[in-house]
Amino acid sequence: MLSRVAENIYWMARYVERAENTARIVTVNANLLLDLPKGIAPGWRPLVDITGANALFEEHYKDYSERNVVRFFIADERNTGSIASALIAARENCRTIRDFVPREVWELLNEIYLFAREDLPKGMTKGGRHAYLKRVIQGAQNINGLLSGTMLHDQGYDFLHLGRFLERADMTTRIIDVRSANLLPEETTELRPFETIQWVSVLKSMTAYQAYRRSEQIRVLRGPVLRFLFQNGSFPRSVVHCIEALRASLSKLPRNESALRVAGRLKRNLEGTEPRRLNQQQLHAFIDDLQVGIGELHEELARTWFPPPPETQTQSQTQD
């Protein structure tokens, strides 16, 4: 497969996943703030913290108000993590590889892109936001289902999987890191019911609440939630499930040795740690290690299978 095609398929999958994840975290944060008293509600800044885009946000906005943060994540094309930006990028990547994906995928992606753009004024209102974000989430899921059911399961599909599950693993670790840091201290016994509400919101950010209850069969607690989201291989948004999916796709590709080594380190790190035993500082360090590994895996994919950046190509031509 041509390296440029592989790269475009990979990034199309990442951006579709990113649009869905962004819609999820905005929806869940709005619901969380309705459930918590004003004095302890985390506000809207944690969403910006999750994506690590604080410098960009503060460059263009005065404060972390609901209006500003929602605009940043839904409509601001300067933010590569916004729904608008992700759908534009997904559509552009899909446009360049239309011969490699089913026509219906291109049509559906266009439909979601046009909806997101034309209904944006309604999506920016409190009354219209929920329906707008729900449509984006359903659209992304429809695209993934259509790709799974109609695209050839060849090398192109393997790169699609790599993009989807790398993006998903990255977002899962980010949500856990920021949301757990914003939870109430364990010694605040009188506020313990609100802590449960916040852990429920962590699960709901990944549509994991029902799966958690079926799997763990106990009430929502910090330790079991961490174990479930990091180490439950049966849940498709857990970190270990994402890493296993990445390893399965990598195993089918040529010249996969270096990438498999990185993925193997990630898996060993997950298996060798009991997240529920970590305090907040240790949990943050553990997640930092995972995120570094996820970044290294992306770099290895790009180095092995994708064309070099234009600057690199120019330098090598000059040297020749």
Side-chain angles (χ1 to χ4, degrees), residues 11-31:
W11 279 111
M12 179 189 73
R14 285 199 71 158
Y15 282 121
V16 169
E17 182 72 23
R18 189 172 300 178
E20 178 183 349
N21 289 337
T22 300
R24 285 174 183 276
I25 62 173
V26 173
T27 298
V28 171
N29 200 70
N31 293 336

Side-chain angles (χ1 to χ4, degrees), residues 107-124:
E107 292 173 350
L108 183 54
L109 186 48
N110 255 324
E111 182 184 316
I112 297 303
Y113 163 78
L114 291 172
F115 162 79
R117 188 177 67 177
E118 293 168 2
D119 279 45
L120 182 58
K122 193 182 298 182
M124 288 300 300

Side-chain angles (χ1 to χ4, degrees), residues 22-238:
T22 300
R24 285 174 183 276
I25 62 173
V26 173
T27 298
V28 171
N29 200 70
N31 293 336
L32 173 63
L33 297 187
L34 292 175
D35 292 336
L36 290 174
K38 278 192 175 180
I40 63 169
W44 286 90
R45 176 168 180 156
L47 296 196
V48 186
D49 295 338
I50 284 172
T51 59
N54 301 72
L56 178 65
F57 181 89
E58 291 170 7
E59 182 182 343
H60 298 287
Y61 298 91
K62 290 182 179 179
D63 57 57
Y64 287 89
S65 66
E66 177 178 358
R67 180 180 180 82
N68 287 345
V69 174
V70 168
R71 176 168 293 281
F72 185 64
F73 280 107
I74 292 181
D76 196 334
E77 293 178 18
R78 296 167 299 195
N79 172 21
T80 57
S82 74
I83 292 171
S85 180
L87 289 177
I88 289 170
R91 180 176 180 269
E92 179 58 22
N93 278 282
C94 188
R95 184 188 64 79
T96 63
I97 52 166
R98 286 170 63 179
D99 291 340
F100 291 85
V101 296
R103 180 179 176 180
E104 292 81 3
V105 171
W106 166 247
E107 292 173 350
L108 183 54
L109 186 48
N110 255 324
E111 182 184 316
I112 297 303
Y113 163 78
L114 291 172
F115 162 79
R117 188 177 67 177
E118 293 168 2
D119 279 45
L120 182 58
K122 193 182 298 182
M124 288 300 300
T125 66
K126 283 192 175 183
R129 185 197 304 158
H130 179 76
Y132 179 87
L133 295 173
K134 184 177 180 181
R135 176 80 182 275
V136 171
I137 293 169
Q138 289 176 337
Q141 291 176 334
N142 287 343
I143 289 169
N144 286 336
L146 194 56
L147 285 165
S148 176
T150 61
M151 184 176 175
L152 279 175
H153 285 213
D154 56 5
Q155 285 187 356
Y157 192 75
D158 291 327
F159 282 105
L160 184 89
H161 254 208
L162 291 174
R164 179 186 303 160
F165 285 104
L166 201 67
E167 183 73 24
R168 187 175 295 179
D170 180 61
M171 181 57 88
T172 297
T173 57
R174 288 175 183 273
I175 289 172
I176 297 170
D177 191 22
V178 173
R179 281 305 190 197
S180 60
N182 281 293
L183 292 172
L184 305 171
E186 292 181 6
E187 58 270 16
T188 54
T189 310
E190 68 279 7
L191 297 178
R192 190 64 54 77
F194 299 122
E195 183 186 14
T196 299
I197 290 172
Q198 292 198 68
W199 278 114
V200 169
S201 84
V202 173
L203 291 168
K204 287 186 175 179
S205 296
M206 291 166 262
T207 317
Y209 178 70
Q210 189 174 1
Y212 168 87
R213 294 303 298 264
R214 278 196 59 200
S215 171
E216 302 300 315
Q217 298 186 350
I218 56 174
R219 68 188 181 90
V220 177
L221 297 167
R222 177 185 187 274
V225 169
L226 289 175
R227 183 178 63 229
F228 179 79
L229 292 178
F230 279 115
Q231 298 175 323
N232 189 307
S234 300
F235 180 61
R237 290 186 175 273
S238 74

